[in-house]
Amino acid sequence: MESRPPYRDEASGVRRRRMLGLALGAGLVPTLAPVAAATATTRSDTPAPASAALGRRVAEVATAQLGVPYAWGGGDRLGASLGFCDDENGYLDGVCMGESTVGFDCSGLSLYCWYRASHGTVELGHYTVAQFHRSAPVERDALAPGDLLFFSRPDAPLHHVGIHVGDGAMIHAERTGTPVARIEHVLDVPRWAGEFAGARRPGTTG
């Protein structure tokens, strides 16, 4: 998430992100041990045991990224990657930081955590709106580790995504100049509670 309305800018960066994904991600994923497949859930269902275990693993992978820098456009299936600058995004105090920073943006972090934790069975797009629509709705009282939390404003629909890691906490990559961080009881924080657009739970693709 950036300081200026990011929805338009994020959308304009999709094509470049896809190109980066093809260049950096295709065919380069390391071999990982197989795990039990998790099933997608429907509205507010308690996760099945395999799905719950996967969600906890997503939270563990996210926790391991704490402190990694924010990079606009950064993050793919392999992990943190070099970002870029796109219109106003990727800049800090007028300096393009994206092109020299290896890190994650919000959707890059969530796609990596889910891909890594699922050993390649869950692949999310590097675009917040796509991640929202590729995941099953989850009621707030049924949140589990690994669920994705989405945020929206009238001027920036679905502008941000973070990873619920249990006990009401969220790990996310917020904006240029900040590291991946954890927010405790995020939905009790007025700023985030006021922008909360819903939670989603990704499912496996195979």
Side-chain angles (χ1 to χ4, degrees):
M1 188 168 70
E2 294 286 291
S3 58
R4 301 179 73 168
Y7 177 70
R8 180 198 64 193
D9 298 323
E10 186 176 27
S12 68
V14 170
R15 182 176 302 170
R16 186 167 181 180
R17 284 178 173 158
R18 287 175 178 164
M19 293 175 63
L20 286 173
L22 289 172
L24 297 174
L28 300 178
V29 181
T31 302
L32 299 170
V35 294
T39 57
T41 59
T42 55
R43 297 186 66 89
S44 73
D45 287 348
T46 300
S51 180
L54 173 56
R56 288 191 296 270
R57 176 61 182 153
V58 171
E60 291 171 1
V61 176
T63 299
Q65 311 315 309
L66 290 171
V68 174
Y70 181 100
W72 173 255
D76 57 28
R77 297 181 299 175
L78 300 179
S81 66
L82 193 66
F84 58 90
C85 295
D86 184 5
D87 294 336
E88 295 90 357
N89 292 303
Y91 293 87
L92 182 65
D93 298 327
V95 177
C96 175
M97 301 297 293
E99 293 180 355
S100 60
T101 302
V102 173
F104 294 103
D105 65 9
C106 65
S107 55
L109 177 65
S110 53
L111 84 83
Y112 169 69
C113 292
W114 267 94
Y115 191 85
R116 181 73 183 184
S118 70
H119 301 276
T121 62
V122 178
E123 187 163 6
L124 302 172
H126 195 161
Y127 182 36
T128 302
V129 174
Q131 293 184 2
F132 183 87
H133 290 297
R134 291 181 186 181
S135 305
V138 179
E139 298 295 341
R140 180 169 172 171
D141 61 2
L143 284 172
D147 290 343
L148 301 181
L149 307 180
F150 291 88
F151 301 88
S152 184
R153 297 192 308 265
D155 66 317
L158 294 177
H159 66 85
H160 191 59
V161 59
I163 301 166
H164 182 257
V165 293
D167 298 322
M170 177 179 79
I171 290 177
H172 70 149
E174 184 176 357
R175 64 178 184 275
T176 300
T178 67
V180 174
R182 175 178 172 128
I183 302 176
E184 303 294 338
H185 305 293
V186 62
L187 297 182
D188 293 329
V189 177
R191 179 248 174 120
W192 296 107
E195 297 185 7
F196 183 56
R200 297 273 167 152
R201 184 171 299 150
T204 57
T205 58

